[in-house]
Amino acid sequence: MSTTTEQLSATTLLRFATAGSVDDGKSTLVGRLLHDSKSILTDQLEAVEQASLSRGQEAPDLALLTDGLRAEREQGITIDVAYRYFATARRRFILADTPGHVQYTRNMVTGASTAELAVVLVDARNGVVEQTRRHAAVAALLRVPHVVLAVNKMDLVDYAEPVFASIAEEFTAYAASLGVPEITAIPISALAGDNVVEPSAHMDWYGGPTVLEHLETVPVSHDLTACHARFPVQYVIRPQSAEHPDYRGYAGQIAAGVFRVGESVSVLPSGRTTTITGIEALGESVDIAWAPQSVTIRLADDIDISRGDLIAPADDSPAVTQDVEATVCHVADQPLSVGQRVLLKHTTRTVKAIVRDIPSRLTLDDLSQHPAPGRLVANDIGRVVVRTAEPLALDAYADSRRTGSFLLIDPADGTTLSAGMAGASFAAVAETVAPAADDDAEWDF
């Protein structure tokens, strides 16, 4: 039965990402989900069948449904993050199939940054490997609230319960030590379809949900209105027309929370306080607006406000600082070094900055901290202290994924260097970063 528009409007949306080591079957799992939930078109399936035959495979290789790049098809690996959209009668989904190769771990940051659930695959024959731990660490750092351990290729270990139980116990203990709040382990065979959409006839010892059943029923909260209200200014509107000679509005997307006409707000980083006199949404005046609506806000006072400023409730504003302490996942091929000049992009604001210290790098094998590494290379996770040229209004990442995150950018060519999370650290390895030293004479801020 096809899902109607009326049904879709009543269902919730779940964003989730898949991750795992090389050849653990991520793309095959996604292909199986799409195929068995009847979420692919006939011509798509025919194209996969033809591509599979050309590679000498008798059965359709469902991984090709997500390995869309030509280089991926030729090499038989996933390189890019592949986004797919599908729906059942109970829920809509946006999934990100992320690469398994170590050099593409940074792509998981992209896929998991907006995800509410991460599916981490493990090959039942290999168990938990370093890349598995790396992906669990990224999911924990990005505060992904739900993690599914999919122990794949159970058909190749004769569907043995002890194999599954051992892997599930090891992974659950590791992920829990990182602070992952909820972990669900499911034994599957993506190739054969066991416990993906339909329950497996080969694992009667397992009484839990299938992957799709869990995706359809896991609690999802999209209530951004319960968060601290934050409005990054994207554009200042001043028509300066004869009809509206004194009009001044501030346009952007509400990052979190609720704003109301008559509310007292602060404009950061200046700290000036004023009152909301009007809110416009879709060209209409409204009394209230909430995340993630795009609106124009008008204020009572003529304050110097520009792109990158943040409007927040006067009694619930974030701290303003020029010294940012954070955990970062380094995503660029070029290293990040102490003393390096960078740009820091936070919401709609981009400022000059310098890396003052890299106190530690995380060792994923035992969750220990490698002190004072001096630099971070591609796929490293570490703590940094950054000094910015201008004040920033940041929340802790644990409080807001939108206003607690930022990017470090190479000022020379615009390359993204690191994805940062203000104040973020693992529950088991939380550390106190030493205060930054006094400014050097060569620093100009």
Side-chain angles (χ1 to χ4, degrees):
M1 181 182 68
S2 62
T3 306
T4 65
T5 303
E6 290 76 13
Q7 286 175 313
L8 287 179
S9 65
T11 60
T12 56
L13 171 68
L14 174 69
R15 299 174 183 268
F16 72 100
T18 61
S21 189
V22 178
D23 295 330
D24 279 350
K26 300 174 299 302
S27 297
T28 302
L29 171 62
V30 173
R32 175 62 65 183
L33 276 172
L34 296 173
H35 180 272
D36 289 8
S37 63
K38 298 178 174 57
S39 299
I40 57 175
L41 301 175
T42 302
D43 60 341
Q44 291 177 309
L45 183 58
E46 290 176 350
V48 167
E49 291 173 342
Q50 292 176 2
S52 301
L53 288 173
S54 68
R55 295 169 58 175
Q57 297 171 298
E58 296 182 1
D61 184 355
L62 298 179
L64 298 180
L65 287 170
T66 54
D67 287 345
L69 299 179
R70 178 178 298 177
E72 295 175 328
R73 292 176 183 261
E74 291 174 350
Q75 298 179 55
I77 65 172
T78 301
I79 296 175
D80 199 9
V81 180
Y83 290 95
R84 292 294 181 270
Y85 308 84
F86 69 102
T88 67
R90 305 176 72 177
R91 180 168 280 175
R92 293 172 292 147
F93 302 94
I94 299 177
L95 65 90
D97 181 29
T98 64
H101 281 65
V102 172
Q103 63 266 40
Y104 300 126
T105 301
R106 53 200 172 190
N107 290 18
M108 185 197 171
V109 176
T110 301
S113 61
T114 59
E116 290 123 341
L117 181 145
V119 179
V120 179
L121 272 79
V122 171
D123 189 324
R125 299 169 299 176
N126 301 329
V128 176
V129 297
E130 180 181 354
Q131 191 70 339
T132 310
R133 291 189 288 270
R134 185 181 296 273
H135 287 145
V138 171
L141 272 176
L142 293 174
R143 296 294 195 274
V144 179
H146 308 282
V147 172
V148 172
L149 171 67
V151 182
N152 194 23
K153 304 187 181 182
M154 288 296 296
D155 54 315
L156 300 183
V157 294
D158 297 325
Y159 299 101
E161 181 180 6
V163 174
F164 167 74
S166 175
I167 295 173
E169 181 180 2
E170 179 182 357
F171 179 87
T172 299
Y174 180 84
S177 71
L178 294 173
V180 176
E182 180 183 289
I183 305 152
T184 302
I186 305 175
I188 69 170
S189 170
L191 186 63
D194 293 290
N195 283 339
V196 178
V197 172
E198 300 295 336
S200 172
H202 302 97
M203 291 179 278
D204 54 3
W205 44 265
Y206 173 74
T210 65
V211 173
L212 182 61
E213 183 182 354
H214 182 71
L215 294 176
E216 288 182 323
T217 57
V218 66
V220 176
S221 175
H222 295 286
D223 189 13
L224 293 174
T225 61
C227 303
H228 305 286
R230 302 289 186 261
F231 181 74
V233 176
Q234 183 173 350
Y235 186 70
V236 179
I237 301 176
R238 291 194 64 194
Q240 295 181 318
S241 63
E243 184 179 357
H244 303 286
D246 300 321
Y247 182 94
R248 185 191 295 262
Y250 307 98
Q253 183 183 54
I254 300 176
V258 179
F259 287 91
R260 296 174 174 84
V261 173
E263 181 180 8
S264 178
V265 295
S266 293
V267 179
L268 303 172
S270 69
R272 293 286 301 275
T273 301
T274 184
T275 303
I276 297 177
T277 58
I279 300 175
E280 298 166 10
L282 298 176
E284 300 290 336
S285 294
V286 296
D287 293 328
I288 183 173
W290 54 88
Q293 287 181 310
S294 294
V295 300
T296 299
I297 291 179
R298 290 182 285 114
L299 303 176
D301 300 294
D302 188 8
I303 300 175
D304 181 15
I305 301 175
S306 59
R307 175 183 172 87
D309 286 349
L310 185 76
I311 297 175
D315 59 355
D316 184 25
S317 298
V320 176
T321 183
Q322 287 182 257
D323 294 296
V324 180
E325 301 177 359
T327 296
V328 302
C329 180
H330 192 63
V331 300
D333 292 327
Q334 64 187 94
L336 183 73
S337 304
V338 174
Q340 185 171 344
R341 296 181 181 277
V342 297
L343 297 177
L344 189 152
K345 185 179 188 307
H346 172 250
T347 62
T348 58
R349 189 176 184 84
T350 300
V351 300
K352 295 179 180 179
I354 191 167
V355 179
R356 300 186 64 172
D357 193 14
I358 302 179
S360 62
R361 183 183 70 239
L362 182 70
T363 302
L364 291 172
D365 289 336
D366 57 5
L367 295 183
S368 64
Q369 296 287 347
H370 178 77
R375 67 176 192 168
L376 300 176
V377 298
N379 300 312
D380 275 350
I381 297 171
R383 298 284 292 173
V384 299
V385 178
V386 178
R387 172 77 174 179
T388 61
E390 302 171 31
L392 292 176
L394 283 88
D395 287 293
Y397 186 78
D399 295 332
S400 173
R401 294 172 80 179
R402 288 285 302 276
T403 55
S405 59
F406 61 87
L407 296 176
L408 297 182
I409 299 170
D410 186 342
D413 59 11
T415 300
T416 297
L417 300 173
S418 302
M421 293 139 279
S425 62
F426 296 114
V429 293
E431 58 178 339
T432 301
V433 180
D438 290 338
D439 284 355
D440 244 309
E442 65 176 6
W443 292 352
D444 54 6
F445 51 84

